[in-house]
Amino acid sequence: RSGVVPTQIAGHLEGGASNGARDLAVAVNGRIAAVGRSFRLAGDPTEHFAFMVPEEALREGRNAVEVYEVVAGDRLRLLVRR
């Protein structure tokens, strides 16, 4: 109703290499909506991700969001499902 659509999807990951970043993809409602890389902030060992997805990827109400790691052969490995 406000006209503002929250299009940032962010969080943190566990289980990755302690010093590397991963290639990631985020799916919204079953479709890849954005790609990017994980990152770490200076002095923080936590692996983070943040995506901006297009408004048209979202529907009114609850949306299904999945974060995948892009692995060898451009395959996707599920990391997070919300």
Side-chain angles (χ1 to χ4, degrees):
R1 297 178 212 229
S2 70
V4 176
V5 178
T7 63
Q8 182 182 47
I9 297 171
H12 67 274
L13 301 169
E14 296 180 5
S18 62
N19 59 351
R22 295 189 254 188
D23 291 326
L24 303 174
V26 63
V28 179
N29 301 317
R31 300 189 71 149
I32 299 298
V35 296
R37 291 183 59 79
S38 64
F39 60 93
R40 287 183 169 73
L41 302 172
D44 180 359
T46 306
E47 184 179 14
H48 299 274
F49 63 87
F51 298 99
M52 294 298 292
V53 299
E55 287 183 37
E56 39 295 340
L58 302 168
R59 60 180 176 229
E60 191 172 333
R62 190 165 181 83
N63 290 270
V65 176
E66 298 166 322
V67 177
Y68 295 91
E69 179 179 11
V70 181
V71 295
D74 292 333
R75 292 179 297 120
L76 300 176
R77 184 172 71 93
L78 181 65
L79 299 175
V80 177
R81 176 176 284 145
R82 299 267 187 237

